[in-house]
Amino acid sequence: QVQLVESGGGLVQPGGSLSLSCAASGSIFSIYAMGWYRQAPGKQRELVATVTSGGSTNYADSVKGRFSISRDNAKNTVDLQMNSLKPEDTAVYYCYAESVYGVAYWGKGTLVTVSS
């Protein structure tokens, strides 16, 4: 089992920046990839960014050039640096982990609101 706890989130103005962090505990050795998904009101949950244990990254087209994901394997954390935020970035952001066995784990989510 893997437990994921998010921190960060909150209210930020358009064009501003915000950083999210996720700490993993439990069967850390089994984690293949970690990342972030988000779900806006009335929308389906969508991929934001992922990073593998080897350091390869994948970003949604909508956040490329604005968001940056990083992973610290020693501390078992993954961060999401969000810059140039837009109102359409408003969503609940969920930390995600995928095990080498194909099992997905989810955090409880943290709300990011981009508004003036």
Side-chain angles (χ1 to χ4, degrees):
Q1 287 287 326
V2 173
Q3 293 79 45
L4 304 173
V5 179
E6 302 104 330
S7 62
L11 176 64
V12 63
Q13 294 182 346
S17 298
L18 196 65
S19 181
L20 305 179
S21 183
C22 176
S25 62
S27 301
I28 305 301
F29 68 92
S30 68
I31 296 177
Y32 160 70
M34 296 185 69
W36 295 88
Y37 284 67
R38 68 186 182 186
Q39 187 168 20
K43 301 294 193 300
Q44 294 185 345
R45 189 173 300 185
E46 65 177 358
L47 168 75
V48 178
T50 59
V51 58
T52 69
S53 58
S56 62
T57 58
N58 183 42
Y59 294 91
D61 290 339
S62 60
V63 306
K64 286 182 178 178
R66 299 189 298 121
F67 291 10
S68 180
I69 190 169
S70 61
R71 180 175 179 178
D72 188 332
N73 291 329
K75 296 182 178 181
N76 301 315
T77 59
V78 61
D79 298 328
L80 183 69
Q81 178 63 48
M82 303 182 292
N83 301 318
S84 302
L85 284 162
K86 305 174 181 179
E88 51 262 45
D89 294 318
T90 296
V92 176
Y93 285 70
Y94 296 90
C95 184
Y96 163 85
E98 181 182 355
S99 76
V100 296
Y101 309 108
V103 178
Y105 301 91
W106 298 93
K108 293 183 178 180
T110 183
L111 177 63
V112 173
T113 302
V114 184
S115 176
S116 60

